[in-house]
Amino acid sequence: MATSRRDTADSYTQRAHKEGYPARSVYKLEEIQKANNIIKPGDTVLDVGAAPGSWTLYTHRMLLKGRGTIISVDLNPLNLNPVPPTVTAYVGDAFSKEIREKLTSHGPFDAIISDAAPMTTGNRTVDTTRSEWLAEQVVILAQKQLKQHGNLVIKIFQGGGQQQILQTMRSMFAKAKTLKPKACRVDSFEIYLIGLDKFLAKNLYLQRKGDISVTFSCKPSFFVHQSTAMLYLTQPCLQRARSVCSLRENSAGSLGITPSERSA
């Protein structure tokens, strides 16, 4: 019997090996899935930072149940032999132009999951900053490639900008929250950000030193993300946006936004 959280964590590793998973992280996804129903049979799923492959394999075995598709991407190859028939795997940087074009060809996705973590240095400030950057990139990917009503799971190291990223997710999803699964090691400072039921997004344009892509969805708030310079306007947003923006509609029916002095 486990006598400590660390002993319990070791038991997860032993269980993973017995059940044929390459890593104990599978039980983090299992807990997240049971609590939130992230993935359903028939879904098209993107797994970012997939290697060695536990989340991909669990999704194939237990969640899709032979119906659906998994697109997995990592800098390293999956440690799965054989690779399940529902899986298409890419080796490379998920955020590079080349790999992003390949991922886009399979999308949009019903769920995007990411257990990606940076190479750690032992310097918590450096490690959390790198983890925050990874999480932000997954959010940006989800803005473009996650379907309406889709779900998102991202790992991030605590102590960085997780609250700001969570605020961004709250403008994108009906519900956004954090979860630290029991399978996390006691000395780990990782946490998972979960976005459920993505809003329908329409493209707008923000005129600030040139046109910048903007997201328009359906929640009664708006939010400016400082890192990406993206403005999130949500329903009923038009009256509220007028307090910070001058609005104009062009002949094509798209909405242009010119920030006023208050929003500069």
Side-chain angles (χ1 to χ4, degrees):
M1 178 179 294
T3 58
S4 70
R5 181 78 175 270
R6 169 62 76 171
D7 292 336
T8 302
D10 290 340
S11 73
Y12 283 116
T13 300
Q14 296 171 8
R15 178 183 165 195
H17 291 164
K18 288 180 181 179
E19 296 181 355
Y21 292 103
R24 58 194 297 285
S25 58
V26 59
Y27 304 112
K28 302 173 190 177
L29 179 59
E30 180 182 58
E31 182 177 342
I32 292 168
Q33 172 68 19
K34 287 181 178 179
N36 300 283
N37 195 27
I38 301 294
I39 299 166
K40 299 173 286 296
D43 279 354
T44 299
V45 180
L46 175 60
D47 186 356
V48 179
S54 289
W55 280 27
T56 290
L57 185 58
Y58 180 79
T59 299
H60 164 75
R61 282 181 178 177
M62 308 303 293
L63 306 182
L64 296 187
K65 301 178 180 179
R67 295 184 289 132
T69 303
I70 311 164
I71 309 302
S72 298
V73 59
D74 197 287
L75 294 172
N76 300 304
L78 298 178
N79 186 21
L80 301 178
N81 188 18
V83 174
T86 56
V87 176
T88 298
Y90 294 106
V91 177
D93 182 350
F95 313 119
S96 68
K97 181 179 179 180
E98 177 186 4
I99 298 296
R100 190 181 290 262
E101 288 176 353
K102 292 179 179 180
L103 300 181
T104 299
S105 71
H106 296 281
F109 300 94
D110 298 288
I112 296 178
I113 56 177
S114 177
D115 196 36
M119 293 292 292
T120 55
T121 65
N123 183 315
R124 182 158 180 171
T125 300
V126 172
D127 294 341
T128 54
T129 299
R130 291 179 176 178
S131 175
E132 179 184 348
W133 183 87
L134 278 174
E136 285 180 340
Q137 297 308 303
V138 177
V139 169
I140 291 170
L141 186 64
Q143 289 166 352
K144 299 178 180 179
Q145 293 300 318
L146 189 62
K147 293 179 183 177
Q148 181 187 8
H149 304 305
N151 300 317
L152 176 65
V153 177
I154 311 172
K155 178 162 75 178
I156 189 171
F157 293 163
Q158 292 175 278
Q162 72 267 14
Q163 289 302 321
Q164 185 176 7
I165 295 174
L166 188 63
Q167 187 176 3
T168 300
M169 291 173 61
R170 285 175 176 148
S171 73
M172 296 169 58
F173 296 91
K175 187 172 185 180
K177 60 183 180 179
T178 62
L179 177 67
K180 189 176 182 71
K182 296 177 181 177
C184 293
R185 297 188 187 276
V186 65
D187 54 355
S188 169
F189 53 99
E190 67 187 14
I191 198 168
Y192 290 83
L193 307 181
I194 301 169
L196 303 173
D197 191 7
K198 183 174 181 279
F199 296 123
L200 174 65
K202 300 178 181 179
N203 289 331
L204 303 178
Y205 295 94
L206 169 63
Q207 288 192 338
R208 180 182 296 172
K209 297 181 181 178
D211 287 344
I212 300 173
S213 180
V214 181
T215 298
F216 176 66
S217 57
C218 302
K219 187 180 179 182
S221 63
F222 65 89
F223 173 67
V224 180
H225 192 286
Q226 295 178 352
S227 298
T228 61
M230 297 183 76
L231 175 66
Y232 301 93
L233 297 177
T234 55
Q235 256 320 356
C237 73
L238 296 185
Q239 285 109 352
R240 298 181 66 184
R242 288 191 180 97
S243 66
V244 295
C245 299
S246 299
L247 305 181
R248 57 181 176 76
E249 187 169 1
N250 64 23
S251 58
S254 63
L255 195 63
I257 306 173
T258 305
S260 67
E261 292 182 0
R262 287 183 61 185
S263 63

